[in-house]
């Protein structure tokens, strides 16, 4: 930061220091709701600019903004309930977007991995949390805060669930929600939310737990899901078809659908009582209703449009969610609360290595994806905060213990971006230890002395999937002489069905490429761009391939125009940019459209490549 920038920020900071007095002096100028939202947004925005400048996660800025304007700061927000109400909307819209991103077929394709892990992970983590807490009490750690009979159970709830809001936000920002780790993480989060709903349903009856309320909660979810699916299949498409040419109306219709299902779920008991004369306590929480609303219309052709428009509104409300959370942070009553918060954060992260990772690995997920998924889920859930708050109201835990849980959430929330970005590095650093403990990578099939390939595809994602489709259609003789190297073993069977040799391997290691047979390939294609690659880059891969196979023709993938020169210098023979290749195709379509020949052009493209929606690709 230059001296001029610092002086300007200092002057601006002095101006902001006058804000509380200005607000109080003009308190009658705006309704309290509008004023409080404005103050929160101004504080969050300004702090976010400063925090991002110093490479601090923006979540920290929002939390600090809440502390600054909240009761333990300047107390200029007069009614924190206003912000809590608005932030609840952010959580609802986030879960609605998550539902829109859910591809049920891909989730079900995860099969045993997701179903078994989803069913076992939550109760196993609760048992882990209870055991660790009892061990701490036995060791004399925690004092009165952990001495209550329900305290160990609530710590189990705290460490058992991860933050849907934080994790999905990061997966969306990095465009990795459609990866194996992204799908497994999303599936586990959904299972965790369902488990949490069951916990909330039986909390009032902890002294005499009953299975009926839990079953009725799940029955309510099933009833709402069936009702929403029926409406979405037979009625919603008609309405969306009427308004398809008006994007702003599509957005309004999508939001109304979300809150229609939310209201149906929340007031399901009222409906059954009025219509059928009975009340079985089937009501569904607003968050789960929003998730169901999104999932039931995810297959509509307008889902991408809805996601784009709702995301903008969602970000506004999510910002207020974190500001509201910052306002709820209490003044710590002594160091014991903060020390326990740090301890809870450590236990939560430890559970990801002790429970999450072995469970995912044992159910069939490869070691890397199991570790990456576990590390990225290393935070405390918003649902855990709700469970602990209800527990405090019921007298199960003390207010100090609830405060420690809030601080633990803040700690793990601040660590989440760092852990997300370092997940692959953590796996690499622990690979030696994991191997000694029996967690081995899938065996790498080395190429035989006489085995050679015409083509080697390094990494397998959308480009490679479409490339194999074209080869199968136009050059089927090439498939038996094609090698695919990728670490996602769950798609290996589908690739192998095409007659392609597919092998597990880490693209970061030149020695691995040599043993897998890349050194004997005539043409090597780096199919994955740098923003998806983890732990390596196209430039490094090109150097490694050129080292192990000096005579190969290497085709590399670039994102930025300037990268092409560096890739050629590293040894690439040809560099393609997806943006340029796409632009060429669109340019041809635009030319035909301007000359009035777009229908003929579409027919010729479909005759050559087939209709996009009927292509059967691996991905």
């Amino acid at each position: 930061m230059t001296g001029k920038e610092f002086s300007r920020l200092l002057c601006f900071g002095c101006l902001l220091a006058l804000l509380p007095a200005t607000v109080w002096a003009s308190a009658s100028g705006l309704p309290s709701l509008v004023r409080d939202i404005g103050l929160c947004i101004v504080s969050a925005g300004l702090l976010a600019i400063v925090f991002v400048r110093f490479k601090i996660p923006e979540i920290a800025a929002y939390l600090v903004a809440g502390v600054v304007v909240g009761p333990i700061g300047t107390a200029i927000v007069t009614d924190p309930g206003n912000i809590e109400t608005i932030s609840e909307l952010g959580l609802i819209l986030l879960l609605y977007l998550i539902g829109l991103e859910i591809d049920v077929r891909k989730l079900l394709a995860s099969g045993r991995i997701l179903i078994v892990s989803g069913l076992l992970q939550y109760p196993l983590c609760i048992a882990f949390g209870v055991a660790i807490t009892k061990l701490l009490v036995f060791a004399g750690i925690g004092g009165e805060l952990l001495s209550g009979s329900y305290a160990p159970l609530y710590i189990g709830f705290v460490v058992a669930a991860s933050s849907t809001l934080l994790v999905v936000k990061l997966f969306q920002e990095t465009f990795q929600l459609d990866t194996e780790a992204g799908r497994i993480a999303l599936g586990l989060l959904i299972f965790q939310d369902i488990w949490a709903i069951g916990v909330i349903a039986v909390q009032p009856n902890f002294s005499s737990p009953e299975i009926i309320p839990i079953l009725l909660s799940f029955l309510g979810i099933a009833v709402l899901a069936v009702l929403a699916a029926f409406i979405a299949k037979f009625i919603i498409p008609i309405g969306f078809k009427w308004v398809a040419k008006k994007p702003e109306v599509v957005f309004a219709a999508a939001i109304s659908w979300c809150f229609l299902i939310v209201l149906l779920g929340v007031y399901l008991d009222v409906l059954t009582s009025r219509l059928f004369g009975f009340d079985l306590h089937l009501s569904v929480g607003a968050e789960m209703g929003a998730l169901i609303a999104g999932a039931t219309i995810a297959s509509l052709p307008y889902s991408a449009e809805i996601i784009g428009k709702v995301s903008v509104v969602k970000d506004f409300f999510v910002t207020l969610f974190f500001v509201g959370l910052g306002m709820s942070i209490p003044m710590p009553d002594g160091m014991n609360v903060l020390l326990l918060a740090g301890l809870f954060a450590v236990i939560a992260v430890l559970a990801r290595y002790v429970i999450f990772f072995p469970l995912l690995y044992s159910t069939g997920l490869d070691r890397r994806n199991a570790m990456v998924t576990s590390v990225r889920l290393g935070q405390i859930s918003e649902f855990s905060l709700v469970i602990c708050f209800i527990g405090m109201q019921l007298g199960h835990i003390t207010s100090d213990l609830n405060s420690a849980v809030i601080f633990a959430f803040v700690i793990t929330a601040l660590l989440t971006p760092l852990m997300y970005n370092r997940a692959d590095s953590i796996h690499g650093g622990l690979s030696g230890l994991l191997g000694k403990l029996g967690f081995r990578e899938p065996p790498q099939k080395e190429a035989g002395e006489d085995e050679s390939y015409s083509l080697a595809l390094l990494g397998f994602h959308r480009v490679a999937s479409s490339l194999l489709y074209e080869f199968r259609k136009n050059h089927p003789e090439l498939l038996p002489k094609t090698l695919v190297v990728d670490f996602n073993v769950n798609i290996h069977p589908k690739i192998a069905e095409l007659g392609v040799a597919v092998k597990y391997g880490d693209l970061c290691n030149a020695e691995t490429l040599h043993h897998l047979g890349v050194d004997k390939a005539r043409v090597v294609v780096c199919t994955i761009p740098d923003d998806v690659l983890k732990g390596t880059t196209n430039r490094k891969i090109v150097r490694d391939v050129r080292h192990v196979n000096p005579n190969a023709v290497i085709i590399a993938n670039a994102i930025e125009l300037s990268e092409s020169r560096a890739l050629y210098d590293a040894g690439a023979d040809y560099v393609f940019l997806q943006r340029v290749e796409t632009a060429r195709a669109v340019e041809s379509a635009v030319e035909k459209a301007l000359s009035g020949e777009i229908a003929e052009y579409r027919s010729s493209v479909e005759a050559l490549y087939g209709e996009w929606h009927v292509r059967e690709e691996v991905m």
Side-chain angles (χ1 to χ4, degrees):
M1 180 183 294
T2 64
K4 184 180 292 186
E5 288 176 336
F6 179 78
S7 61
R8 289 177 180 176
L9 285 176
L10 184 62
C11 293
F12 191 58
C14 294
L15 180 63
L16 289 179
L18 300 174
L19 185 60
T22 305
V23 169
W24 286 119
S26 58
S28 60
L30 287 172
S32 64
L33 176 62
V34 177
R35 184 188 65 240
D36 289 349
I37 291 176
L39 289 170
C40 290
I41 290 298
V42 169
S43 302
L46 293 175
L47 286 172
I49 293 172
V50 176
F51 276 48
V52 169
R53 171 64 180 81
F54 292 101
K55 298 182 179 180
I56 303 173
E58 64 271 19
I59 291 172
Y62 304 151
L63 293 170
V64 172
V67 173
V68 170
V69 301
I72 67 172
T74 59
I76 57 176
V77 171
T78 56
D79 187 0
N82 286 337
I83 306 304
E84 291 175 9
T85 301
I86 298 298
S87 63
E88 176 72 8
L89 289 175
L91 193 55
I92 289 173
L93 291 174
L94 176 73
L95 286 163
Y96 181 47
L97 285 176
I98 293 171
L100 286 167
E101 299 266 13
I102 291 176
D103 189 325
V104 177
R105 290 172 299 178
K106 288 183 179 179
L107 286 177
L108 293 177
S110 300
R112 184 167 64 100
I113 297 173
L114 183 56
I115 295 172
V116 175
S117 298
L119 291 174
L120 295 180
Q121 172 266 311
Y122 197 86
L124 287 176
C125 281
I126 291 176
F128 176 77
V130 169
I132 292 293
T133 306
K134 287 184 176 293
L135 188 62
L136 292 175
V137 173
F138 179 77
I141 300 173
E144 295 182 359
L145 291 179
L146 298 180
S147 60
S149 57
Y150 290 110
L153 181 61
Y154 275 87
I155 301 308
F157 295 147
V158 167
V159 304
S162 305
S163 172
T164 301
L165 192 152
L166 291 172
V167 174
V168 174
K169 181 175 183 290
L170 288 169
F171 270 111
Q172 287 176 330
E173 288 177 351
T174 55
F175 305 102
Q176 294 184 34
L177 197 57
D178 192 38
T179 62
E180 183 71 12
R183 288 193 294 270
I184 294 296
L186 177 58
L188 284 179
L189 289 168
I190 293 172
F191 269 101
Q192 289 173 0
D193 291 348
I194 294 173
W195 275 110
I197 289 169
V199 170
I200 293 171
V202 299
Q203 264 185 288
N205 302 313
F206 271 179
S207 57
S208 55
E210 299 177 5
I211 192 65
I212 298 300
I214 300 177
L215 295 178
L216 289 176
S217 296
F218 288 126
L219 177 61
I221 293 172
V223 169
L224 183 64
V226 170
L227 181 61
F230 178 83
I231 299 173
K233 183 174 179 62
F234 296 105
I235 299 175
I236 292 298
I238 299 173
F240 272 103
K241 187 176 181 180
W242 291 344
V243 300
K245 294 183 179 180
K246 292 185 174 291
E248 66 279 5
V249 181
V250 170
F251 169 70
I255 292 293
S256 66
W257 167 250
C258 171
F259 284 96
L260 171 64
I261 300 303
V262 167
L263 291 172
L264 281 175
V266 171
Y267 296 107
L268 196 57
D269 290 334
V270 177
L271 288 174
T272 56
S273 178
R274 295 280 179 86
L275 296 176
F276 306 107
F278 61 82
D279 182 0
L280 295 179
H281 302 290
L282 300 176
S283 61
V284 179
E287 292 81 7
M288 182 56 65
L291 187 71
I292 292 172
T296 49
I297 65 169
S299 59
L300 289 179
Y302 319 105
S303 60
E305 174 78 13
I306 296 169
I307 290 171
K309 291 186 176 295
V310 175
S311 293
V312 178
V313 183
K314 178 264 300 180
D315 289 340
F316 169 77
F317 289 115
V318 167
T319 299
L320 288 176
F321 173 85
F322 284 109
V323 175
L325 182 62
M327 285 192 291
S328 70
I329 296 175
M331 181 67 73
D333 186 14
M335 286 300 296
N336 284 342
V337 172
L338 295 178
L339 291 175
L340 269 184
L343 196 56
F344 294 161
V346 171
I347 295 172
V349 173
L350 185 62
R352 275 58 186 168
Y353 295 93
V354 177
I355 304 295
F356 281 53
F357 170 70
L359 186 59
L360 290 171
Y361 179 85
S362 63
T363 52
L365 193 60
D366 65 275
R367 192 181 76 181
R368 177 195 168 275
N369 275 316
M371 178 58 71
V372 168
T373 302
S374 302
V375 171
R376 288 178 173 175
L377 292 173
Q379 63 289 127
I380 292 171
S381 170
E382 305 83 17
F383 272 114
S384 298
L385 299 181
V386 174
I387 290 172
C388 288
F389 179 75
I390 294 173
M392 182 183 67
Q393 290 181 319
L394 294 172
H396 295 165
I397 60 174
T398 64
S399 59
D400 285 341
L401 183 56
N402 185 58
S403 298
V405 171
I406 293 175
F407 281 114
F409 173 87
V410 172
I411 293 170
T412 56
L414 295 178
L415 290 175
T416 293
L418 177 65
M419 295 172 67
Y420 183 93
N421 293 324
R422 297 291 180 87
D424 283 280
S425 301
I426 291 173
H427 169 255
L430 295 175
S431 59
L433 176 62
L434 293 174
K436 293 178 181 178
L437 293 175
F439 299 104
R440 306 188 185 282
E441 294 189 20
Q444 296 179 354
K445 300 178 182 178
E446 297 190 6
E449 292 185 6
D450 299 327
E451 190 175 10
S452 62
Y453 302 98
S454 298
L455 174 67
L457 302 181
L458 303 186
F460 196 91
H461 204 233
R462 295 187 179 94
V463 171
S465 177
S466 296
L467 198 56
L468 283 188
Y469 178 89
E470 297 300 331
F471 287 154
R472 181 177 61 177
K473 180 181 177 182
N474 302 315
H475 305 285
E477 73 284 354
L478 184 59
L479 294 180
K481 284 292 185 179
T482 297
L483 167 68
V484 172
V485 179
D486 192 74
F487 56 72
N488 187 359
V489 295
N490 293 297
I491 61 173
H492 284 194
K494 289 185 178 180
I495 300 173
E497 288 176 3
L498 301 176
V500 174
V502 54
K503 299 180 181 180
Y504 175 89
D506 187 354
L507 303 182
C508 303
N509 193 313
E511 192 66 23
T512 298
L513 299 178
H514 169 74
H515 287 297
L516 294 178
V518 176
D519 61 320
K520 300 173 183 176
R522 289 175 54 196
V523 179
V524 179
V525 182
C526 306
T527 69
I528 299 182
D530 286 351
D531 56 359
V532 178
L533 282 171
K534 292 297 177 183
T536 188
T537 63
N538 269 265
R539 191 189 308 183
K540 182 180 183 303
I541 292 174
V542 168
R543 287 198 187 111
D544 289 343
V545 172
R546 183 58 69 203
H547 175 70
V548 301
N549 191 345
N551 299 319
V553 175
I554 303 175
I555 300 174
N557 191 332
I559 299 176
E560 300 296 336
L561 299 172
S562 58
E563 291 176 15
S564 60
R565 183 70 268 162
L567 287 168
Y568 282 125
D569 292 341
D573 295 286
Y574 179 74
V575 177
F576 71 95
L577 283 81
Q578 295 180 44
R579 54 191 274 188
V580 175
E581 304 296 334
T582 302
R584 287 174 178 170
V586 176
E587 179 191 20
S588 300
V590 170
E591 289 175 351
K592 295 298 182 181
L594 292 174
S595 62
E597 302 174 16
I598 190 65
E600 294 82 356
Y601 177 73
R602 173 184 169 182
S603 298
S604 65
V605 170
E606 290 181 348
L608 185 61
Y609 300 109
E611 296 179 311
W612 305 135
H613 65 279
V614 299
R615 288 168 65 103
E616 294 183 359
E617 298 190 16
V618 175
M619 299 185 73

